Amino acid sequence: MTGMSGAAATRDGEAPEHSPPCSPSYDVTGKNKVVTVDGVRVKLQIWDTAGQERFRSVTHAYYRDAQALLLLYDITNKSSFDNIRAWLTEIHEYAQRDVVIMLLGNKADVSNERVIRSEDGETLAREYGVPFMETSAKTGMNVELAFLAIAKELKYRALWHPDGPRFQIRDFVESQKKQPSCCSFS
Ligand SMILES: Nc1nc2c(ncn2[C@@H]2O[C@H](COP(=O)(O)OP(=O)(O)OP(=O)(O)O)[C@@H](O)[C@H]2O)c(=O)[nH]1
């Protein structure tokens, strides 16, 4: 998966406030994922921009309503990485101002085909102030963590209290993420 996925969260049992916009030209696969955060079940409604990597053709309504956006590139595909800046520009223009953004470098399991260094992902993420990690949809590396971090952040925001515990999604991701077993780059 490359491109962008959006997520909106509800506490489990509540009706979702958001739903993917209907567009005949836009193939959105909706999935629900329930993540338990500190005893609270958070339901993430996930929409994937399947097959819509030419971002300019993506209807803005799709991510205007998202509470979180997962931006994925493929570490074996330079153009997918280069597209991320354009995605971020789009997000800045059209998404909710406080949308949670996470940058993911996927296919970390195929390090022999790597063309994007982990440091390049980290540098880009730092520039935009977003959490970053490499993932593998094949092995599952860091995949659950990505959804857990999003769920934690959205729950924290929903239940925020001035005297309550603080949550920093970037710190959480940095402390929990696994590195690919082989990070060689030739
Ligand atoms: N080795 C490896 N292959 C992956 C990984 N993630 C996806 N793939 C493979 O990459 C190919 C493309 O995956 P998709 O999820 O269809 O990618 P996509 O960019 O969302 O493609 P569209 O849905 O057509 O836009 C498939 O053959 C997947 O099996 C991964 O983490 N590791």
Side-chain angles (χ1 to χ4, degrees), residues 3-7 26 49 55-56 58-73 80 83-104 124 128-131 150 157:
M4 179 152 56
S5 294
Y26 196 61
T49 64
F55 60 92
R56 293 199 185 283
V58 174
T59 173
H60 299 139
Y62 167 63
Y63 50 94
R64 194 183 54 205
D65 290 336
Q67 291 174 294
L69 293 169
L70 294 149
L71 273 173
L72 276 84
Y73 64 87
S80 73
N83 279 343
I84 294 293
R85 280 184 190 279
W87 277 112
L88 285 161
T89 303
E90 289 268 297
I91 290 168
H92 187 65
E93 201 165 343
Y94 295 103
Q96 294 182 41
R97 193 182 42 79
D98 61 348
V99 68
V100 180
I101 301 169
M102 184 175 294
L103 180 64
L104 303 174
L124 182 63
Y128 285 88
V130 301
I150 295 283
R157 290 181 182 199

Side-chain angles (χ1 to χ4, degrees), residues 23-51:
S23 164
S25 62
Y26 196 61
D27 178 18
V28 174
T29 311
K31 288 194 181 77
N32 284 337
K33 182 171 177 62
V34 177
V35 182
T36 303
V37 181
D38 307 326
V40 177
R41 284 161 62 85
V42 179
K43 186 187 283 179
L44 296 173
Q45 188 184 57
I46 301 158
W47 315 313
D48 178 16
T49 64

Side-chain angles (χ1 to χ4, degrees), residues 115-178:
V115 296
I116 304 298
R117 298 179 307 175
S118 187
E119 303 91 280
D120 297 331
E122 270 161 19
T123 302
L124 182 63
R126 207 174 307 120
E127 186 183 330
Y128 285 88
V130 301
F132 166 75
M133 62 188 155
E134 292 194 341
T135 57
S136 168
K138 188 171 181 182
T139 68
M141 187 187 84
N142 289 333
V143 173
E144 285 299 316
L145 176 57
F147 290 112
L148 177 62
I150 295 283
K152 271 185 173 279
E153 175 68 23
L154 294 178
K155 178 196 153 244
Y156 170 73
R157 290 181 182 199
L159 303 178
W160 183 84
H161 184 275
D163 303 326
R166 290 183 167 272
F167 178 72
Q168 294 284 347
I169 188 169
R170 275 200 290 169
D171 294 346
F172 178 71
V173 165
E174 284 304 313
S175 69
Q176 301 289 314
K177 72 183 183 185
K178 292 189 170 58

Side-chain angles (χ1 to χ4, degrees), residues 1-3 48-53 74 106-110 135-139:
M1 184 194 286
T2 56
D48 178 16
T49 64
Q52 301 290 325
E53 274 59 62
D74 174 351
N106 192 43
K107 295 202 187 178
D109 57 287
V110 280
T135 57
S136 168
K138 188 171 181 182
T139 68

